[in-house]
Amino acid sequence: MTAPRRFVVDEELTIVTAADHRQRLLAALGDPNGLSIDLSGVADIDTAGLQLLVMARAEGERLGIPVEFAEPSAAVTEALSLTRLEL
């Protein structure tokens, strides 16, 4: 089996960058081997960023493509904890 495609999110995942990340994520979801979203470089995340991650997971499920979230940064871990979201 081929490894999932790696998608790296650097610096911020906020309303300022969400539209750009969304387009790139949707394009990356075309890989049938799945998608691994590397969140280790995310220094700032807001609700737009969280919505984007939820959208990626839902779209992957809809398409039958596995989506995993790898190495969440401290900012991502804190946002998930505050919102009680599980990705």
Side-chain angles (χ1 to χ4, degrees):
M1 179 173 186
T2 305
R5 180 177 178 172
R6 187 168 177 255
F7 183 92
V8 177
V9 180
D10 287 334
E11 298 181 20
E12 65 180 83
L13 192 52
T14 66
I15 194 164
V16 175
T17 63
D20 290 337
H21 287 306
R22 183 178 188 278
Q23 293 304 316
R24 293 178 44 232
L25 268 171
L26 289 174
L29 283 168
D31 190 328
N33 295 316
L35 187 64
S36 176
I37 302 174
D38 182 342
L39 300 170
S40 63
V42 176
D44 190 17
I45 185 168
D46 65 8
T47 55
L50 290 171
Q51 287 176 330
L52 192 62
L53 298 179
V54 170
M55 181 278 306
R57 171 66 52 82
E59 190 65 10
E61 287 176 2
R62 186 184 74 78
L63 296 170
I65 297 170
V67 174
E68 65 182 30
F69 299 99
E71 303 180 45
S73 68
V76 173
T77 300
E78 181 181 3
L80 293 174
S81 176
L82 288 172
T83 59
R84 298 185 181 179
L85 277 175
E86 292 183 25
L87 296 177

